[in-house]
Amino acid sequence: MRNVILYTKNPCSLCDEAKMMLELLQKDYSFNLIERDIETNDEWMERYHLLIPCVIIGEESFDGSQIGWDTLVRALQNGE
């Protein structure tokens, strides 16, 4: 089973929306959702603080401006 990584922080309403979409998509696509709080790791904070929420699916990376239902579905379908 593949992993989908969600970089997030708290509070972050966009992160909450991205997580909700991913949880709904788990009903149709098989993947492990790994949530990473950037405030717990200096490297993640440096890399993702302006991009959160950030979703990594396989080799594809989507920042907050790119995350949407259609984008996530396409990325998940590409990995099947």
Side-chain angles (χ1 to χ4, degrees):
M1 185 178 299
R2 71 179 149 174
N3 294 326
V4 172
I5 302 170
L6 171 62
Y7 288 94
T8 184
K9 73 174 187 171
N10 192 14
C12 173
S13 61
L14 291 175
C15 300
D16 295 340
E17 289 177 31
K19 182 178 179 181
M20 196 173 359
M21 281 190 277
L22 289 166
E23 288 174 342
L24 287 171
L25 287 166
Q26 279 184 307
K27 295 176 184 176
D28 295 320
Y29 301 93
S30 181
F31 62 90
N32 295 314
L33 178 57
I34 300 170
E35 190 173 355
R36 294 184 175 168
D37 183 342
I38 64 168
E39 294 178 328
T40 64
N41 182 294
D42 291 337
E43 183 179 328
W44 298 341
M45 176 64 87
E46 185 176 324
R47 184 168 185 180
Y48 297 107
H49 75 281
L50 296 175
L51 302 175
I52 63 162
C54 183
V55 175
I56 311 288
I57 301 174
E59 299 297 318
E60 295 185 88
S61 175
F62 306 96
D63 67 34
S65 69
Q66 301 168 312
I67 296 171
W69 186 263
D70 292 338
T71 303
L72 294 173
V73 167
R74 272 193 300 275
L76 290 166
Q77 288 174 341
N78 286 341
E80 289 186 326

